[in-house]
Amino acid sequence: MAVFVALGAFLMTLVGGWTAQRVTDRRHLVLGLAGGLMLGVVGLDLLPEALRAAGGEIFGVPAALLLFVAGFLAAHLVERLLAVRQTAHGAAEERVPQVGLTAAAAMVGHSLMDGVAIGAAFQVGGGMGAAVAIAVVTHDFADGFNTYTLTSLYGNARRKAVAMLIADALAPVVGAASTLLFTLPEQPLGCYLGFFGGVLLYLAAAEILPEAHHDHPARSTLLCTVAGVAFIWLVVGVAG
């Protein structure tokens, strides 16, 4: 059952990436929506789950929040190091393709854990599995949308963006199938979600949204961002 549900996530991810490809003439709206989806996923889905699952505090601060900040700083550090390296070779600093590929690879890793979450939930029981499956399959549209957008935003060729999209679509199927072999401890999963949330927030706040408003500071772009957050809120509410 877990693998069957993961196939739904596979299809939804491809639909999200296809949507991102088809609206290239409204790039600012795509980026605005992607930023809202990422913000919603972080604030309304990943971080609450990380706080619940990651365990106790470290020197007065929840472990999930420490990892959240660490993820944000790690994304910033990786981007700066790659930009400096690119500049040292005489290239422009503004858009570094490796950053997009690294971010997309992180999305693939997250989708793999989505599949693991589906399998782990079905290990607990059918009701828990169904609730997690609804959340994962629905928000995998956002994952596919964001994976394609992140890869292409940084100047990577379309074939690379499509390759990362396919990898992202296959990841939950692989993750769900892997849970047939083991039982996943809750605390490491919570720690991972906290770290990944910080990475996504950095990409949304420092890269995606500023780019969305750079050439088109329109009200419609802002509305797309709000709509992205509202969509994730709806998904979380229905799944809850």
Side-chain angles (χ1 to χ4, degrees), residues 78-80 82-84 86-87 92-101 153-156:
V78 168
E79 184 189 38
R80 289 297 89 201
L82 289 174
V84 168
Q86 196 88 343
T87 303
E93 180 182 346
E94 293 183 0
R95 287 283 170 243
V96 184
Q98 292 93 326
V99 172
L101 292 174
L153 173 64
Y154 283 86
N156 290 286

Side-chain angles (χ1 to χ4, degrees), residues 100-203:
L101 292 174
T102 301
M107 294 296 296
V108 173
H110 173 57
S111 293
L112 181 68
M113 295 306 296
D114 276 349
V116 172
I118 292 174
F122 275 102
Q123 289 176 2
V124 174
M128 174 66 73
V132 172
I134 291 172
V136 169
V137 171
T138 308
H139 98 243
D140 271 355
F141 174 86
D143 284 352
F145 191 99
N146 290 335
T147 297
Y148 186 89
T149 302
L150 283 169
T151 308
S152 57
L153 173 64
Y154 283 86
N156 290 286
R158 182 179 179 274
R159 60 181 177 80
K160 290 185 178 180
V162 171
M164 296 306 297
L165 174 63
I166 293 173
D168 189 48
L170 289 171
V173 180
V174 175
S178 71
T179 60
L180 301 175
L181 307 175
F182 67 91
T183 300
L184 181 70
E186 185 178 50
Q187 188 170 352
L189 177 60
C191 292
Y192 162 76
L193 292 176
F195 184 87
F196 182 67
V199 173
L200 275 191
L201 181 63
Y202 177 82
L203 293 172

Side-chain angles (χ1 to χ4, degrees), residues 4 20 25-27 29 35 67 79 115 153 163 168 186 188 203 218:
F4 178 76
D25 57 329
R26 293 290 183 268
R27 184 169 176 270
L29 299 180
L67 287 164
E79 184 189 38
L153 173 64
D168 189 48
E186 185 178 50
L203 293 172

